[in-house]
């Protein structure tokens, strides 16, 4: 699978699933227009954009461009790239009705179209042969459970300690924390935080 350095932001969970089958990177969900009122999400996106770069890949309809324009002004200049899919009439198989503008969204794009959109956006493609040995495996929900960050009686307190150490929002969910760490953190970093802040747990 093709690997790129930047994280990718899409609109919905079906878009996330589609893009993850095409490229190997962190894929984040904006939740559509919810992003306008979510200051915590915006703060995380800003950190991810500055640390590794962020590619915005929304649908080609008017709503997608509203989200793009908002992020252009909300995130640091030079930290985001814009990937555009072409206008293709149609509707996704799972939907009963097509979009208001009658166009396929990211979810309905073929893999080669998504790859071409990312190339045109200036995505940083990485050679798996060159980078593979250096790449650590992603942190998973199973890791969180093993570290006591989820599913245990003191998981909430342990997560709170990690969030504080990483200067992250106190109300961040376990899933959001997992996404963030995989985007900009490392396994060593989280294990160091746990040793330092969760002694005696």
């Amino acid at each position: 699978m093709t690997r790129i350095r930047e994280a990718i932001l899409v609109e919905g969970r079906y878009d996330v699933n589609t893009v993850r089958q095409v490229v190997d990177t962190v894929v984040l969900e904006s939740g559509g227009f919810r992003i306008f009122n979510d200051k915590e999400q915006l703060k995380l996106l800003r950190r991810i954009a500055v640390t590794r770069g962020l590619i915005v890949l929304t649908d080609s309809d008017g709503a997608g461009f509203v989200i793009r324009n908002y992020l252009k002004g909300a995130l640091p200049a030079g930290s985001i790239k814009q990937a555009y899919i072409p206008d293709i009439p149609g509707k996704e198989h799972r939907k009963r009705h097509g979009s208001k503008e009658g166009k396929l969204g990211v979810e309905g794009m073929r893999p080669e179209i998504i790859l071409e959109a990312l190339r045109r956006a200036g995505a940083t493609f990485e050679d798996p042969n060159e980078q593979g040995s250096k790449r650590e495996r992603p942190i998973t929900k199973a890791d969180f459970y093993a570290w006591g960050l989820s599913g245990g009686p003191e998981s909430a307190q342990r997560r709170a300690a990690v969030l504080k150490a990483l200067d992250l929002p106190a109300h961040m969910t376990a899933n959001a924390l997992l996404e963030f760490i995989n985007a900009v953190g490392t396994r060593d970093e989280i294990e160091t935080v746990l040793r330092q802040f969760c002694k005696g747990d």
Side-chain angles (χ1 to χ4, degrees):
M1 185 180 290
T2 305
R3 182 183 173 207
I4 66 171
R5 180 180 187 278
E6 295 87 355
I8 300 175
L9 180 71
V10 295
E11 292 181 58
R13 61 191 175 97
Y14 291 101
D15 300 330
V16 170
N17 294 338
T18 295
V19 174
R20 281 181 176 161
Q21 292 174 37
V22 178
V23 288
D24 181 6
T25 191
V26 174
V27 186
L28 307 163
E29 179 188 348
S30 73
F33 286 166
R34 288 202 312 259
I35 197 170
F36 300 148
N37 300 312
D38 194 336
K39 289 183 170 58
E40 291 188 354
Q41 184 186 28
L42 191 62
K43 180 179 179 181
L44 297 178
L45 290 175
R46 189 174 291 120
R47 287 177 66 173
I48 291 169
V50 169
T51 304
R52 66 183 289 167
L54 182 70
I55 297 175
V56 179
L57 178 62
T58 65
D59 293 350
S60 60
D61 57 10
F65 277 83
V66 169
I67 293 171
R68 289 179 187 277
N69 290 332
Y70 169 73
L71 291 173
K72 278 181 190 175
L75 298 177
S79 66
I80 65 171
K81 297 174 181 178
Q82 301 283 349
Y84 298 95
I85 58 171
D87 286 345
I88 299 177
K91 73 174 185 68
E92 286 75 17
H93 294 301
R94 70 175 180 85
K95 294 181 179 177
R96 186 170 296 173
H97 304 290
S99 68
K100 188 185 296 184
E101 297 179 27
K103 302 173 184 177
L104 285 175
V106 169
E107 173 193 346
M109 291 294 121
R110 297 193 310 274
E112 59 269 25
I113 293 177
I114 291 175
L115 278 174
E116 180 61 21
L118 294 172
R119 285 194 186 94
R120 290 183 175 182
T124 308
F125 287 84
E126 298 182 341
D127 181 354
N129 296 323
E130 183 180 318
Q131 301 288 336
S133 60
K134 301 177 185 176
R135 188 180 186 209
E136 62 175 32
R137 61 186 175 85
I139 295 167
T140 65
K141 289 183 179 179
D143 291 320
F144 264 35
Y145 182 80
W147 289 331
L149 293 173
S150 65
E154 297 182 353
S155 295
Q157 295 95 311
R158 293 172 73 86
R159 278 201 312 277
V162 171
L163 291 170
K164 184 176 179 181
L166 297 178
D167 190 29
L168 293 171
H171 299 291
M172 195 173 179
T173 65
N175 284 338
L177 175 60
L178 182 64
E179 280 188 341
F180 177 80
I181 291 171
N182 275 322
V184 301
T186 65
R187 185 173 292 274
D188 284 345
E189 180 180 21
I190 192 70
E191 288 178 339
T192 298
V193 168
L194 286 169
R195 284 195 298 271
Q196 184 175 353
F197 289 87
C198 303
K199 289 177 181 175
D201 285 357

